[in-house]
Amino acid sequence: MLKFRLYYDKDAEQDWLQKMCLEGWALKQFFLGFYTFVPCEPGEYNYQIDILDNWHGDKTDYATFMEEAGVEVVGQWWRWVFLRKKAADGPFEMYTDAQSKIAQYRKIKRFFTVFLVIETICFLMELMAAMETGEVVIGALTVLLGIITLALLRIVWKCQWKIEQLRREEI
Amino acid sequence: MRGLDNTPLTEALFYILLAVRTPNHGYGIIQDINEMTGGRVALGPGTLYGAINSMLTKGWIRLYSEDKESRKKKEYLLTSRGMEVFQNEVQRLQELICNAQKMEQSNLMDVDGR
C-alpha cells in the first residue's frame, strides 16, 4: 500500500506510523512523502523517527550502531531516519532523558529555523511584487508562501515550547 | 551535553562511564546499565549514541577496538580523564549522602529529646 503524506512534525508522523502498525500496516519505505506499507501483525513494531546531525557524515556509523543495538533502520531520507523495533523486544524510545530530548528538539528547531528565514524572505519579496503589479497569480502565490511560513513558524515555536517544558522537568 | 566538566553528571553519563571501565560496545552498555539498576534505567539508543559521541570528543572515553570485518562492532573504554570526572562525581555524591545522614541523625535526636 502506498500513501502520500506531508509531515513536518516528527512526533505527529511517529504517532501516525504507530497507528498504521496497530492497523496491521508496517512502513517499508519512504521517499519524498510517499510511504510504502506492507502487511504486518497488528502492533508488531514500535516506530521512532530520528534526525541526524548532518546528512552524510555519520550515516554508516549511525546505522551500524543502531543495528547493533537491536534497532532496525527502515529508511532514511536526508537527515530523517525511520527506525523500528519489534514490540515483543520491549518498549522502544530513542531518547530517554530530558537532556538528550532537548538536544534532539534543538536540532529540529535549528533545521526549521533556516527554512523559516528563507521562506520569510521569499514571502516578503513576493508580497512586494504582488503589491507592485497587483496580479492575482502573484497574490495567490504570496498567500501560499505566507501559509508555508506560518507552518514553519509553528514548528519552530513548538520545538521551543517542548525544550522549555523539558527544561522545567530537568529541575 | 553540558559544556563544563565539573557540573553534575546526568544519570545516563554516570552509568555509561561505569559501564566502560572494561571495553564495552553499544548494546553491552545498554544491557549492563539495565542490569545495574534492576531495569530502572533503560537507556534509549539515541541517547546513548549522542552521549558516546560527546564523551569521545571530550576525551572521557576512547575507541578501544573496531571489528572491521563482520559488523563493525565498536568497543569503548574509559580514559584517565573520564576516570577523574567519574571520581569527582562520586565524591560529590558522597558529600550529599553524608549531609543527608547528618540530617537524619539530628531528626532522631529531636524525637528522642521530646
Side-chain angles (χ1 to χ4, degrees), chain B residues 5 8 10 13 19-21 24 43-44 47 52 60 72 105 114:
Chain B
D5 286 356
T10 62
L13 292 183
V20 295
R21 60 195 188 279
N24 209 344
L43 208 60
T47 300
I52 282 182
W60 295 3
K72 276 192 168 174
Q105 278 162 4
R114 245 165 247 159

Side-chain angles (χ1 to χ4, degrees), chain B residues 45-107:
Chain B
T47 300
L48 178 64
Y49 186 75
I52 282 182
N53 281 323
S54 143
M55 290 201 284
L56 281 172
T57 312
K58 285 180 185 165
W60 295 3
I61 60 172
R62 66 178 174 88
L63 201 58
Y64 176 75
S65 73
E66 191 172 355
D67 186 351
K68 286 216 160 80
E69 273 162 35
S70 55
R71 286 177 62 213
K72 276 192 168 174
K73 199 189 245 183
K74 283 182 180 176
E75 281 185 312
Y76 307 94
L77 185 65
L78 189 69
T79 61
S80 53
R81 177 86 197 91
M83 189 65 185
E84 198 185 310
V85 171
F86 183 80
Q87 277 166 345
N88 283 346
E89 179 66 3
V90 170
Q91 229 169 46
R92 190 187 68 87
L93 291 171
Q94 267 165 352
E95 185 200 283
L96 288 179
I97 299 291
C98 180
N99 284 325
Q101 279 165 348
K102 272 183 211 158
M103 188 177 80
E104 261 170 39
Q105 278 162 4
S106 67
N107 273 352

Side-chain angles (χ1 to χ4, degrees), chain A residues 61-100:
Chain A
D61 181 58
Y62 176 88
T64 35
F65 187 94
M66 290 308 153
E67 301 273 336
E68 208 245 311
V71 176
E72 194 184 333
V73 180
V74 183
Q76 185 182 357
W77 187 74
W78 223 29
R79 287 172 63 182
W80 261 239
V81 197
F82 297 85
L83 306 146
R84 75 177 178 197
K85 205 169 139 179
K86 286 241 181 200
D89 294 342
F92 178 30
E93 256 197 277
M94 281 300 279
Y95 296 94
T96 43
D97 61 10
Q99 227 193 357
S100 58

Side-chain angles (χ1 to χ4, degrees), chain A residues 4-52:
Chain A
F4 179 76
R5 290 270 176 121
L6 278 179
Y7 275 105
Y8 57 85
D9 184 341
K10 162 193 94 89
D11 294 338
E13 191 177 14
Q14 220 164 261
D15 291 345
W16 178 62
L17 292 177
Q18 206 64 52
K19 206 185 116 234
M20 288 297 289
C21 185
L22 281 175
E23 287 167 9
W25 292 100
L27 177 73
K28 185 88 182 112
Q29 219 189 327
F30 172 85
F31 183 73
L32 271 177
F34 290 97
Y35 297 78
T36 316
F37 289 95
V38 292
C40 70
E41 291 288 315
E44 193 178 343
Y45 301 101
N46 283 322
Y47 281 89
Q48 290 271 288
I49 294 167
D50 200 8
I51 285 107
L52 300 181

